Structure formats: structure tokens, C-alpha cells
Amino acid sequence: MDWEIAQWAKLRGPSSTAFSDLLSIRGVSECLDLSYKNSRELNVIIDKQLPGRPTFRREQIIVAGEAFDIYYRDVLECIKALYGDPDFADYLVFAPERHYTDDDETVQLYSDMHTGKWWWNTQKKLDKQRPGATIVPVIISTDKTQVTMFRNKTAYPVYLTIGNIPKDIRRKPSRRAHVLLAYLPTTRLEHITNKASRRRSVVNLYHACMARVLSPLEKAGFDGLAMCSGDGILRRCHPLFACFVGDYPEQVLATAVKTTECPKCDIPPDELESSTTPFEIRDLHAILDALATIDVGDLEFVQACRDAGIKPVVHPFWERLPYANIFQAVTPNILHQLYQGLVKHLLGWLAQACGPNEIDARCRRFPPNHHIRLFMKGITGLSRISGTEHAQICCFLLGVIIDARLPGNMSSTRLLRAVRGLLDFLYLAQYPCHSSETLSLLDEALVLFHDNKEIFIDLGIRNHFNLPKLHTTRHYVSMIHFFGTTDNYNTEYTEQLHIDLAKDAYRATNRKDEFMQMTQWLERKEKIVRHAKFIHWRLHNDVPHHPSPQPASLSFDRTQTLAKHPSAKAVSFRTLISDYGATYFREALARYIVQQNHLDESLSRSRLEALAANVHLPFHSVAVYHKIKWLSVDTRGHGDPLATVDSVHVMPCRTSTCRKNDALPARFDTALINNGTGQSVGVEGYRVGQIRAIFSIRERDAQFLFPPTHQPPKHLAYVEWFKPFPSTPDSRHGMYKITRSVRSGERLASIIPVSNIVRSIHLIPKFGPVAPRHWTSNNVLEECDAFFVNCYIDRHSFVTLR
């Protein structure tokens, strides 16, 4: 009881004052038999008795004659804490690897950091000087964040993780594979009136603080140090600064280049829009030579830095770090460069091209789907759109502009191809595993955008495309070769850390000397979490066994599941026809029974119908299910919990449980169905159908209707079919156009095993130049005659349908 109360108070409980007030109630502390009577006593116990991660220290950094406080941890102790964490012991990687798809080793795979060229090349260099070394790639991420809704209070956290931990673990904040390394000063130096001097002082302050935090890496990187992993094995490890993760302002600040320039290469700012202008990664040796002139004189130093293409920064933090090249270490950033950068620009361009009213009208008329967020108020009026919202918009963005009327009746072909190229690049860039073949597709997608981007200039929307974030896309392929796929170093992961390690920490303070309180709060929380894991280990008295980690791949393993009990135990055939729209349920079930009883025969349509007419059904109702779910599978052995990755809803109109007078509309989702010959890529062997009912037949009725050797599966579905996929998709937008299968004016339907349903499918209505205003999200599947199969709802649909 003593421990459970303490754990609740520190992880999920109220404020310290409220907890103390609770314990001060007469009899509470005595009844609970606690070893502490208030929050202060509990804090003393935690501080003195529980082990945790390295503690914070407070120091002052003097820049331009003024002192600034910095709170930081010992970087080597933080690395040791991650490297030696027992939770990661089974998964740590200690050496670079090369993965291939073929026996001839011609097609190489890139996934985790140890499959990239940086680790391989650095290992070779290090082995020449210190054979037997184990590299510990240090990944640093910085991002200033606002911790209050008002008053503009900010924090400047620095996060650290190591590349030895697989990316699938690093990217989950709940696994605690990141460490808050430091809080940098957030001052704007407003007392310096000269703007140029202020900017220089801000840059120098940043580098002075970062140099103080990372300086222990210099000696440890050269000489190495003995480190023990969680399995008890001791190795000589060399922690080397490998990657710097941040948005564009952070990259400019870290590399000391000028704003509007590329932080990685020497391409001129007025050539950023070009897809063909050659460039070279900035010359680190020339820049280090320029930085060395600081001892010669101020004028010589400033001129040398200007000639080298950087700002005159006094001893940048990466200057002395071994085997470090900051211009290579700057990594791609899916969140800020693509979603919050290019996609944000694209939404504004499309609103001007197609008109905000028409775009919003189409957004309100998409059919529902598990992966689609319906923006019932449109998307053009949204403000402060998050990265998650931009990702949700990308799921249907291309479908919004198909057939839309452009100013002057200009052809939309180039517009569709430009948007398609950018979206293809976005989805390909997020692959968890790349090969030389998929990287060539990444280049092709970028070329498709550049070849058609002039449409925005012709429409008068843009004058140029000299955007640093657009140019950065040319570095993606080389960076994936160098450091592995982009999910190794995405700032999206640190956005969640801001909540846990900065914003929540600030809310726990009294707003006075807040950083001292924030660091104490974080240390105590880390100790509680660590002690909870220790108690769990002791109580269960077992060593967790994890399967051998598997290399990343593009395969999609998922498990189909339905509820244990039906949503409705007995739904009559009449109700299936009237409420579910299963118009020919009885006839379709009779045909399915005949087919299962004549598996060895090839029945003609007329004979099938004749035999079906003689089938007698000994029941008039079936048990019905309203949802199919697909759950993720932990294929890589990282202990990931099950999560719902897809679902199909099949529900009639019903009354809301929240508001009894409100009726919830019926929903009958569309799905991709395998006829038994479908492969993992491509549409051959697949067909789209609208699921009208999911049901099961009682066992005794199945034994009566079906032969003993061919008993039906437990779950069956009534499906209304769409016509087969055409041989090729539309050349403009790359989507397949389909219509309903109709014979003599009636929709074709049949009964299939639920196991044949592969996934949900989202259909984009063919709106025409103007979306019909009588269409709604609830009736569009019934009102519209033609649809485009959306291949952007998730990565699985993109790989399968593209």
C-alpha cells in the first residue's frame, strides 16, 4: 500500500499541495499505514533511497560578459544509462550490418541505423586506430517549445538517444529510450539593441551551452570507455556524435549557416528550386580551417568564415568532436520539412487554384473510413494545423482536386501530377525499409513534382520555388543511404517528449525558479518509473524472453478479428433487407450453399440459379456482427502491444447512446476482397465490395446445409460488388476508377468468407467540376455512380494499390 500510494501520487495523482492536504485529514495516513505524512516527506524518501538516471546540475555560461543558467546532465552517464538499461539488453546492436534481398547481394536494404553507410564507414576508420571498438552513435535533438498557452513562456530541451537501440523502440516515448539531456537558456537577449549583435550573441550562446554539454564526448570518442550493457557484458565503447535532429531554424543554428541557405550543401539560395543544379556537401575541413583563424584576429576570422559560407561563431559545439561532420549529421525531418512545410504550402496553393468553397464542399462529402478523418467544416479555414492534421488531410488531398475546375478552364493534368508526385514522395520517404529499387521510386516521385510544378506559376500562385524545405528533398536518398530510413530521426517523436518532459514538468512548478523545480520533478518521476519496473521484476521473478529481433521489411502482418459475441443474436431476413440493404440475402445464401455442395463441378449460371431455387433454409434469422478489426502483429519481437490498424463497420441506422433523440446514420464500409490469387503488391486478384452484413450460421444448421467435408467458416459476409479493377490506373493521378457491378438494373451480390476481406478501402466520389450539394457523407456511396480507389489512406494501401 505504501508504494502504490507513492506511485499514484507521483505519476497520476494531484498536485503536491493537494496530496499533502489529503494526508493531513485526520486518520487518513494512519489508516493507510504510510511511512510519510506529506509530499515533502515522500520527496525525501524518493531523493535518498531510490536510484534513477543521472541528476541535473546547474551551471552558468558567460557570453558577451553576461551569465546564463544551463541545466544539464553528464552526457556520458546518460549514454551509459541507456546502453546499460536491462529493458534494451535483448535488442541492442553493436556492429554495422549490410542486408540484401537477393543471394547475389545486388539489392541492398536500408532500415535501422546500423544498416546505413555512416556506421560502416566510421567503424572502418575507428578500427584502423583502435581495433575492437564498439560504436555508440549519439543522436541529439533540440527544439524550443512553448510550455504555456499564454504569457509566451518557453523551454529549450535537448534530448539524447543512441543508435544501438532499434528505431521501433526509440520512436515510442513509452519505452523511455530518450533522455532529457539539458535545458538551454531561452533568453532573447532583448537588452542588446543592435539586431546584428543580438543575433550573433544568440548563436554564440547556443553553441557555448551545447559545447559545455557535449564536451565529454571528445575524449570518450577518441579513447573509448568501458561500458556494460544490460546483459552484463563489458565492451570498449566509443560514443560518437552521429545525428542532429531538428527543424530548419535549429539546423541553421547548429550548422551556423545563413537563413535561406541549405544547412547541408553549397547550392546557391537562388537555385534551391532546381532539381538539376549540382551541389556538394559543405567542406568541413575548409570550415574548420576558417574557425581556426579566431586566434589571428577578429577581422580575419569574420572574413574567413564568410568565405567558408558560415557565420562567425566562436567555437561551435561540433568543432572538436571526433569523427563528427555536422553537415552530414543534419538529418531529414518528415514532420517539419514535409508535413509542416511543403504540405502546408501545398494546401494554400490548392485553395487558390480550386477555390476554398469547392474544396471544403468536397471534404464534407467523403464516405467514412477507419483511416479518414471527416473535416465537416472543411480544411481551408483551419488555423494552426498540427502535423497529425496535415497527415490526415494528405489521406484524401489528391481526391479533392480531381475534376476540379481551374481558373480560365486550364487543364488540371499538371496540377494532378504535381500533387501526386509530392504525395508519392511523402509516402515513399516514410517507408520503414528501403531498397535501391524503392529509392529510385523516391527520385521518380520528386522528378514528377518538379516536371509539373510550373502549373502554380502559370496560375499566378507562385513566382518561384526557392524554398529550403523543397530543396532538402534532394538529400533524402543520400541520407537514407547514410543513416537508414527517416523513421530513425523524426522530430515527431520529440513532440510527444515535449509534453512529458517540458510542459507537464512546467505545470508541476509554482512558476518561480521553474527550471530547478522541473528538473527535480523529472528526476523523481524517473526514479518512480524505474522502481516500478524493479518491483515488477522481483514479484514475477522471471527473466523476460524476447524472440530474436527480425530485420525490418515492407511486409504488413496483421490479424483479422471479430467480437467474441455477435452484435445482434437474431436478425431476421426481412430486417437484413430493410435495415441493412442486403436486398438479395436469401438468394445469395442459397447460391453459396449450392456452390459449397458442388465444389467439384463447374456450374453454369442457369444451373446455379435452378439449384439455388430448390434450397430450403431451416432458419429465418442469423447472428450479425457490426465490425471487423485488424490488429498489428509484433513481427520484430520488440514486445509491442496489439493495436487496431484497420476496421470495417457494417451497422444499420440506430439511436445514439448519448442523445436518445438523435439517430446515428447507417454505415456500410467498402473493403478490398481477395479472390484467392491476390499478392502483396498490385490489384490483380482483388476486387472492391461494399459489406452489407456480417453474419454466422448456427452449427446445427450448417451441418444440415453443407457437406461434412466442406463446413463453412464461422463468419460470412454479404457483399455488393464493384466491377473489377481496370488494367491501368488513370495516368494523371494514378488512381483506379471503378463503378458498381449491375445486371438488369440490380446490384450484383454474393456471400463470401470474412477471411477473404483483406482490409478496408476508401472510395473517392467522382464529383465532376462541382460537387453535387445533395450528396452527403452518409449517402454518397448510394448517390454516386463512379469512384476512384484511394491509395493514400495508409502505407499498406499505398504499397498495394500504387
Side-chain angles (χ1 to χ4, degrees), residues 322-518:
Y323 304 100
N325 185 339
I326 186 63
F327 306 107
Q328 285 183 334
V330 170
T331 59
N333 185 342
I334 296 293
L335 176 62
H336 290 99
Q337 290 173 354
L338 298 186
Y339 281 123
Q340 299 290 67
L342 297 184
V343 172
K344 181 180 179 180
H345 287 306
L346 185 62
L347 289 178
W349 302 342
L350 293 179
Q352 295 181 59
C354 304
N357 293 333
E358 182 61 24
I359 287 179
D360 291 342
R362 296 179 179 218
C363 290
R364 290 190 288 267
R365 287 162 175 80
F366 285 128
N369 180 270
H370 174 87
H371 302 276
I372 297 295
R373 174 182 172 183
L374 297 177
F375 290 84
M376 301 309 293
K377 294 183 179 180
I379 60 175
T380 60
L382 297 175
S383 61
R384 298 181 64 87
I385 306 178
S386 67
T388 300
E389 289 171 327
H390 274 134
Q392 293 165 344
I393 292 171
C394 287
C395 291
F396 56 77
L397 184 59
L398 184 57
V400 167
I401 62 173
I402 295 177
D403 295 336
R405 184 181 293 131
L406 297 184
N409 291 323
M410 189 178 295
S411 172
S412 63
T413 298
R414 287 186 297 160
L415 179 67
L416 290 171
R417 288 177 176 169
V419 175
R420 172 189 171 188
L422 199 55
L423 289 178
D424 284 358
F425 182 91
L426 172 64
Y427 279 67
L428 287 164
Q430 296 179 80
Y431 273 18
C433 179
H434 268 290
S435 68
S436 52
E437 297 172 350
T438 58
L439 290 177
S440 66
L441 295 177
L442 192 65
D443 277 334
E444 291 174 9
L446 192 58
V447 169
L448 182 63
F449 171 77
H450 281 290
D451 289 346
N452 294 276
K453 67 186 179 185
E454 295 295 321
I455 181 65
F456 296 107
I457 294 178
D458 295 343
L459 290 170
I461 297 172
R462 292 290 304 179
N463 296 321
H464 64 82
F465 290 91
N466 289 319
L467 306 172
K469 293 181 180 180
L470 176 60
H471 164 75
T472 305
T473 56
R474 295 183 65 187
H475 293 295
Y476 271 57
V477 171
S478 61
M479 287 295 97
I480 291 172
H481 280 141
F482 218 61
F483 292 115
T485 49
T486 57
D487 52 354
N488 279 285
Y489 32 75
N490 192 353
T491 54
E492 183 180 355
Y493 313 145
T494 59
E495 291 298 318
Q496 179 61 41
L497 296 178
H498 286 338
I499 299 175
D500 297 338
L501 305 181
K503 298 180 182 181
D504 287 349
Y506 180 79
R507 296 188 187 104
T509 70
N510 61 6
R511 281 59 168 175
K512 298 177 181 178
D513 195 15
E514 62 272 8
F515 287 105
M516 177 67 74
Q517 299 178 57
M518 290 166 67

Side-chain angles (χ1 to χ4, degrees), residues 22 404 499 539-540 602 634 705 716 733 747 754:
L22 173 65
I499 299 175
L539 290 177
H540 291 79
S602 179
D634 183 21
L705 294 171
L716 300 170
H733 49 71
R747 295 178 181 178
V754 167

Side-chain angles (χ1 to χ4, degrees), residues 64-76:
E66 188 171 353
F68 300 92
D69 289 334
I70 176 175
Y71 296 81
Y72 71 99
R73 287 164 153 160
D74 187 318
V75 63
L76 296 181

Side-chain angles (χ1 to χ4, degrees), residues 130 255 552 566 671-672 682 692 699 706:
R130 300 296 303 274
T255 55
L672 188 67
R692 284 291 184 176
E699 186 176 352
F706 297 90

